[in-house]
Amino acid sequence: MSVPAAAPMLIDLPGKPLDKKALPAGRPRDWYITHNRRLKAMRLAIALLDSGVYLPNQAHNRTIRSTAERVGIHPPSDVTCHMVRALMRYSR
């Protein structure tokens, strides 16, 4: 006898965010942009996984942007959406 699958549940946001540390000085501007984009993509990939989106082909730009809005992140660019899908693809 099989047990019916429960609906995916969105995990609550953490109670206290981690303390922010200053990024190292002296790097080219592109390094900081890429670094922040990677962090944003990781946060969005985790939020998508928590909400039940497990495959990259389920994560359309519209889905990623609505998840960003739901968890309080600025809407991601097309490049960041692509990075989110890449993270989901290569973590398998």
Side-chain angles (χ1 to χ4, degrees), residues 51-70:
S51 67
V53 178
Y54 300 112
L55 300 174
N57 60 356
Q58 295 174 325
H60 304 288
N61 287 0
R62 185 176 51 249
T63 307
I64 295 170
R65 289 187 176 116
S66 67
T67 301
E69 183 180 338
R70 193 170 54 239

Side-chain angles (χ1 to χ4, degrees), residues 15-85:
K16 179 182 178 246
L18 297 174
D19 294 332
K20 292 186 178 184
K21 291 188 269 185
L23 292 174
R27 305 263 174 133
R29 179 170 170 73
D30 287 344
W31 183 89
Y32 297 103
I33 292 169
T34 303
H35 175 76
N36 288 328
R37 182 170 282 153
R38 286 179 183 153
L39 291 177
K40 185 177 200 174
M42 283 190 286
R43 286 192 303 267
L44 286 168
I46 291 167
L48 285 165
L49 291 169
D50 288 344
S51 67
V53 178
Y54 300 112
L55 300 174
N57 60 356
Q58 295 174 325
H60 304 288
N61 287 0
R62 185 176 51 249
T63 307
I64 295 170
R65 289 187 176 116
S66 67
T67 301
E69 183 180 338
R70 193 170 54 239
V71 296
I73 299 174
H74 286 285
S77 66
D78 290 342
V79 174
T80 305
C81 290
H82 180 76
M83 288 179 87
V84 170
R85 285 188 291 277

